[in-house]
Amino acid sequence: MDERYSRQILFDGIGKAGQEKLSNSRVLIFGCGALGASHAETLARAGIGFLRIVDRDFVEFTNLQRQTLFSEKDARERLPKVIAAKNRLKEINSEIEIEAIVADVNHSNIENLSAGCDLVLDGTDNFQTRYLINDACVKSKKTWIYGAAVSSYGATMTIIPNQTPCLRCVFEELPPVGSAPTCETAGVIQPIISVVSAFQTTEALKVLTRNTKALHKSLMQFDVWQNDWRKIKLHQPNLDCKTCGQRNFEFLEAESAEFSAVLCGRNAVQIAPSKPANLDLTDLAKKLENLGKVKQNEYLLRLSVDGYELTVFRDARAIVSGTDDVATARSVYAKFVGV
Ligand SMILES: [Zn+2]
């Protein structure tokens, strides 16, 4: 073990004792797209003893430009991302334990999925899931590291419940449905993934080796194209925060802000936000026009893309045709409408 990790052990912040701590650590990564796969590779190479990776998607050719763990073969075989990731990670480090879980994380399974892990890393692509992670981690007093990247922009912060502000202290409410850009609508370049993942995984190494003084204690924002880097210092948690101040974990409740998804007819799933929204369909049509065939009238917008037909209504409800799998429909909705 010492030889494999010798350069890391030589590093002052880690040393032999730190390496021992890493090999006894259990880390959970939600999402195995560009960010999640990058976190997984770094932490597997660093010798984290146990990695649990959770994701609901399959590898596609459009992923290969930035999701560095995956190959053309994985995309041809449409392997679940966590399975393709585990196969590759085993080749990189056969000495650690990797648990790959194909699942759509939601209020009913998040607490079980988090059980037994010391630290949670965000590799998801939507705010809905991040609020859920925030609720679950604050409730169980588990440190988690938020990270997001789209276009050439990214952000990250490390959340230690009761010690630092939580995600909801900083972003009080979910952005309106359809307002946030996604990698599908705004594109993304790989270097911003590397930057955000580098900060998240470095923070993870600090947390796991108990180097808490070295944490950056800020909301970090980067734009690798505009050459803009910001570090917004974070202070105390907000006492009025619904999550960490009032301990009201509404995203963990079944009837909360979570999207409901129900099978409707043959090969179609309806997705509906619990709070009605008012979508600007013309604006959404503009974002989607280069991705597939878009038709729009006063009441609805229809997008044909990747073998699915997505019909979006002004109240943000949508019907995804071409699948009878709820997780797939939620994923299509998150990518093309954005949550
Ligand atoms: Zn808070």
Side-chain angles (χ1 to χ4, degrees), residues 112-219:
N112 272 340
L113 289 169
S114 317
C117 289
D118 312 310
L119 174 70
V120 176
L121 263 71
D122 176 17
T124 68
D125 62 358
N126 66 84
F127 257 92
Q128 184 79 34
T129 311
R130 294 189 184 108
Y131 276 54
L132 187 67
I133 296 171
N134 190 56
D135 269 14
C137 287
V138 171
K139 187 179 173 190
S140 61
K141 299 192 177 67
K142 201 168 287 200
T143 298
W144 79 281
I145 304 173
Y146 153 69
V150 65
S151 180
S152 58
Y153 166 84
T156 179
M157 65 186 270
T158 300
I159 293 144
I160 307 177
N162 303 332
Q163 292 182 38
T164 71
C166 80
L167 189 70
R168 233 175 153 186
C169 289
V170 179
F171 306 105
E172 283 175 37
E173 296 297 336
L174 275 172
V177 173
S179 66
T182 71
C183 293
E184 280 65 26
T185 58
V188 60
I189 53 173
Q190 202 280 332
I192 189 59
I193 305 295
S194 299
V195 169
V196 175
S197 181
F199 274 86
Q200 284 183 270
T201 50
T202 308
E203 290 279 283
L205 296 178
K206 295 173 190 170
V207 169
L208 297 171
T209 55
R210 319 282 187 271
N211 281 292
T212 44
K213 278 201 183 124
L215 295 169
H216 60 65
K217 301 174 189 73
S218 9
L219 171 64

Side-chain angles (χ1 to χ4, degrees), residues 16 30 47 55 65 81 90 94 100 112 114 121 125 149 164 180 187 211 218 220 237 247 268 288 298 329-330 336-337:
K16 231 180 155 104
F30 279 122
D55 191 282
Q65 153 262 354
K81 287 185 177 176
K90 278 288 175 203
S94 60
N112 272 340
S114 317
L121 263 71
D125 62 358
T164 71
N211 281 292
S218 9
M220 303 275 263
R247 298 189 69 77
L288 298 175
E298 198 183 330
R330 280 163 54 99
F336 296 107
V337 183

Side-chain angles (χ1 to χ4, degrees), residues 54-58 101-105 125-126 129 327 330-331 334:
V54 184
D55 191 282
R56 63 187 174 190
D57 279 337
F58 297 85
I101 299 179
V102 184
D104 178 37
V105 56
D125 62 358
N126 66 84
T129 311
R330 280 163 54 99
S331 171

Side-chain angles (χ1 to χ4, degrees), residues 192-300:
I192 189 59
I193 305 295
S194 299
V195 169
V196 175
S197 181
F199 274 86
Q200 284 183 270
T201 50
T202 308
E203 290 279 283
L205 296 178
K206 295 173 190 170
V207 169
L208 297 171
T209 55
R210 319 282 187 271
N211 281 292
T212 44
K213 278 201 183 124
L215 295 169
H216 60 65
K217 301 174 189 73
S218 9
L219 171 64
M220 303 275 263
Q221 296 176 320
F222 324 97
D223 192 318
V224 291
W225 201 264
Q226 303 298 334
N227 311 309
D228 193 14
W229 296 64
R230 269 179 232 182
K231 189 174 167 191
I232 302 164
K233 208 80 195 141
L234 296 174
H235 300 284
Q236 294 300 309
N238 172 6
L239 294 175
D240 296 327
C241 169
K242 279 191 184 151
T243 303
C244 71
Q246 301 172 12
R247 298 189 69 77
N248 170 9
F249 305 113
E250 58 180 329
F251 288 87
L252 296 178
E253 290 158 19
E255 302 305 323
S256 72
E258 195 161 284
F259 282 66
S260 67
V262 288
L263 288 172
C264 63
R266 231 171 125 231
N267 215 23
V269 178
Q270 176 178 274
I271 306 281
S274 68
K275 288 179 196 154
N278 196 3
L279 276 186
D280 183 335
L281 293 178
T282 306
D283 192 42
L284 184 61
K286 261 194 216 124
K287 284 198 255 176
L288 298 175
E289 66 191 2
N290 295 325
L291 298 169
K293 226 171 91 193
V294 178
K295 279 188 195 164
Q296 184 208 343
N297 63 29
E298 198 183 330
Y299 311 101
L300 59 85

